[in-house]
Amino acid sequence: MYDPAFMARAIEISAEALTTPGTEPFGAVVVKDGRIVGEGINRSVMNHDPTSHGETEAIRDAARNLGTVDLRGTALYTSCEPCPLCVAAMMIARVSELYYAADMGQAGAVLGDLPETARFPIDVDAMLAECGKPAPDRSLHSAQFEAAPAAEILARWAAQVR
């Protein structure tokens, strides 16, 4: 169930980017049983890591703090609608609920005209469209090789887990 105090904290974290070099204004918290178990701000520039989004950082923090990669029963509050990378991370971690403040349209409108040196502009519509396509249909060149031995390792690993 939505709690405005947790959204206020996610937005407060995003505001740290106004004074913390190397961060960008995307903050998030992961909540379990009424308490914050993970926090994150976008540190992509600081960490030289394009996956260091506020949501992924909050998920990483929560997983470490809880000692598990299974975040079922948690809610993620974020200052901006998550990108496909972050949605995938939430699904992999099994986050149960998502609450966001600004949406992709608002983010795209504000960030779309920043100079290239600011790591933007990112064409939000193109990003969303690309992520829904099968790999061979994406604009990013891709090709598949050595599928059989890789699939065999996956099958062997799955058999061990079973």
Side-chain angles (χ1 to χ4, degrees), residues 1-12 29 31 36 77 99:
M1 179 186 309
Y2 176 76
D3 185 326
F6 297 131
M7 183 61 77
R9 178 63 184 144
I11 293 169
E12 179 183 17
V29 298
V31 175
I36 294 174
Y77 289 75
Y99 303 105

Side-chain angles (χ1 to χ4, degrees), residues 1 36 38 50 72 76 78 95-96 120 131 143 151 155:
M1 179 186 309
I36 294 174
R72 278 182 272 210
L76 191 142
T78 181
V95 170
S96 298
F120 292 98
C131 289

Side-chain angles (χ1 to χ4, degrees), residues 8-23:
R9 178 63 184 144
I11 293 169
E12 179 183 17
I13 291 169
S14 76
E16 292 176 17
L18 298 171
T19 58
T20 306
T23 63

Side-chain angles (χ1 to χ4, degrees), residues 49-151:
D49 177 357
T51 69
S52 183
H53 294 189
E55 296 90 346
T56 59
E57 290 296 313
I59 289 168
R60 291 168 183 157
D61 191 39
R64 280 189 300 266
N65 289 334
L66 296 173
T68 183
V69 295
D70 186 345
L71 299 182
R72 278 182 272 210
T74 63
L76 191 142
Y77 289 75
T78 181
S79 63
C80 186
E81 180 181 357
C83 72
L85 167 84
C86 294
V87 171
M90 284 180 248
M91 293 180 74
I92 291 167
R94 298 184 173 157
V95 170
S96 298
E97 300 173 19
L98 166 66
Y99 303 105
Y100 62 93
D103 63 30
M104 281 286 193
Q106 291 168 309
V110 173
L111 303 176
D113 65 349
L114 291 178
E116 190 65 35
T117 56
R119 230 178 42 89
F120 292 98
I122 292 174
D123 184 337
V124 172
D125 292 332
M127 176 182 63
L128 293 173
E130 282 291 297
C131 289
K133 295 178 184 176
D137 297 338
R138 295 181 190 139
S139 61
L140 175 67
H141 173 75
S142 64
Q144 184 178 24
F145 298 97
E146 304 300 334

Side-chain angles (χ1 to χ4, degrees), residues 35-55:
R35 67 182 183 90
I36 294 174
V37 295
E39 294 188 341
I41 188 170
N42 184 307
R43 291 184 177 92
S44 293
V45 174
M46 178 188 294
N47 293 342
H48 306 287
D49 177 357
T51 69
S52 183
H53 294 189
E55 296 90 346

